[in-house]
Amino acid sequence: SRNNMASVLFHHKTNFSKPLLFNDSTFNAQKLSKYTLVDIDISQHKILANGIATANDSSASFINIFKNTVPQENKLPHVLPKSITSFTSITFDDFDVFTNNFLAHNGIDVRDKTAIHFENIIEIGQANTSSQQALIIRSIDAANTLSKINYKATSNIYRGKTIYTLEKPPSFFIDCTAILNSKYGNYFVTIADYIVFSNDIEFLKSIITNHNNKTTLENSASYSAIKLELSDASSLLVYGNHITLNELIN
C-alpha cells in the first residue's frame, strides 16, 4: 500500500510538551523548543518521524542544555538486556559545558555546586523494565571516573564482576536523576566503559549475564532494524518497545 505523509509544525508556548513526545513525565514537563517541525511517514508496518527543533539562546527551551556540545554515538544498548522496555540516552563531548547548561536551565548557580570534574563522562542514561530501573554512565576512562566516587566493595561477586555499594553520591549524580527522572541506586557494577547503578541487585546481575552472553539490545534484530532509521550520534535518544509505545499513544 502507498505511504501516507504529513508535516506538522508545533509552536511550544508553554513549559509542557504537547502532544506528549516522550514516555517520561520529566521530559514532557519541559518546553522542548520554541518550534518543532516534524515530517511523518506512515506505512503499513511502521511510522517514521523526522524533523528539526529550534530555540532562541535566551529561551528556557530544553534543547538549550545541549548548546555548544557535540553529540556522541549512543552506546547504551551495548550493555542493556534486550528485554528492557525503555531507555533514555544523553550524550555530549564536554562534561563541563553540558553540566553548566543543565544547571543554568534549572536556575542553579554553578558556584553553588561542588567542583568535581567528571570530564571523561560522555553519555548518561537510564533503562527500565516493568519493575526495575538502572542509571548508566559511559566514560572514556571508567577507572578515572570510578576514582572520584565514594564506594565500597560488597561480598557479592557475580560472574567475575564485583557489585559495589555507593556510599555518597556526587552532586552530579543527583543532577542526573533529576534530568532522567531516575534514581541513582545504592549498588553498581562496572562493565567495560560503563558504570551501571541500580537499587535492584538482581537487575545488575541480569545486565552482567546478558552482556557476557552477548544477548544485549544492540545485538537484537528489532533494534538493529530501528538503527537503520536513526542518526549515528544523537544528543538525546529515547527508546521504547511496543508495550511502551502503545501506552504512550493510548
Side-chain angles (χ1 to χ4, degrees):
S1 61
R2 296 179 61 184
N3 292 7
N4 294 313
M5 301 286 296
S7 295
V8 183
L9 176 64
F10 299 102
H11 183 191
H12 305 285
K13 296 182 178 180
T14 63
N15 291 334
F16 195 84
S17 291
K18 291 184 179 181
L20 299 182
L21 301 175
F22 307 105
N23 64 322
D24 186 295
S25 59
T26 299
F27 288 127
N28 284 328
Q30 303 277 350
K31 180 180 178 181
L32 177 66
S33 61
K34 185 173 183 180
Y35 294 101
T36 303
L37 176 63
V38 180
D39 291 329
I40 303 172
D41 183 358
I42 304 173
S43 63
Q44 184 175 357
H45 300 292
K46 59 186 177 182
I47 301 174
L48 299 176
N50 294 286
I52 58 173
T54 63
N56 298 330
D57 290 346
S58 60
S59 73
S61 299
F62 179 74
I63 62 171
N64 278 339
I65 70 172
F66 301 110
K67 181 182 177 182
N68 296 325
T69 67
V70 178
Q72 306 296 298
E73 183 179 355
N74 307 90
K75 289 191 173 183
L76 255 60
H78 288 266
V79 76
L80 298 178
K82 61 182 179 181
S83 59
I84 65 163
T85 57
S86 64
F87 78 79
T88 301
S89 165
I90 292 175
T91 72
F92 38 84
D93 65 320
D94 190 311
F95 168 85
D96 287 335
V97 171
F98 172 78
T99 303
N100 290 341
N101 287 345
F102 172 71
L103 294 176
H105 175 73
N106 287 279
I108 302 172
D109 193 328
V110 176
R111 294 170 295 181
D112 294 337
K113 307 298 288 186
T114 303
I116 300 178
H117 296 285
F118 291 93
E119 65 277 358
N120 295 308
I121 295 176
I122 56 174
E123 184 174 14
I124 61 174
Q126 70 161 353
N128 303 284
T129 68
S130 58
S131 60
Q132 300 163 308
Q133 187 178 81
L135 173 70
I136 306 100
I137 290 173
R138 180 166 66 93
S139 172
I140 58 176
D141 188 344
N144 180 273
T145 299
L146 195 61
S147 70
K148 300 176 181 180
I149 300 174
N150 293 320
Y151 67 92
K152 64 179 179 180
T154 68
S155 58
N156 203 331
I157 298 177
Y158 183 74
R159 296 202 172 189
K161 293 291 184 181
T162 300
I163 297 176
Y164 300 95
T165 299
L166 183 64
E167 293 192 312
K168 183 181 179 181
S171 60
F172 172 65
F173 283 29
I174 299 173
D175 295 335
C176 285
T177 62
I179 192 174
L180 292 168
N181 192 24
S182 173
K183 296 180 179 180
Y184 50 78
N186 295 319
Y187 307 101
F188 71 90
V189 64
T190 61
I191 303 174
D193 297 333
Y194 307 88
I195 306 176
V196 186
F197 300 83
S198 180
N199 281 323
D200 192 324
I201 290 180
E202 293 305 312
F203 192 23
L204 293 178
K205 290 180 178 180
S206 173
I207 290 171
I208 293 169
T209 297
N210 283 275
H211 184 265
N212 288 352
N213 294 342
K214 301 187 186 304
T215 52
T216 60
L217 184 64
E218 178 70 22
N219 294 324
S220 69
S222 58
Y223 188 74
S224 295
I226 292 173
K227 282 186 65 178
L228 297 176
E229 309 291 349
L230 299 177
S231 302
D232 293 334
S234 301
S235 295
L236 173 64
L237 174 62
V238 179
Y239 164 88
N241 66 2
H242 64 285
I243 296 174
T244 303
L245 181 60
N246 283 336
E247 291 175 351
L248 180 63
I249 293 176
N250 295 325

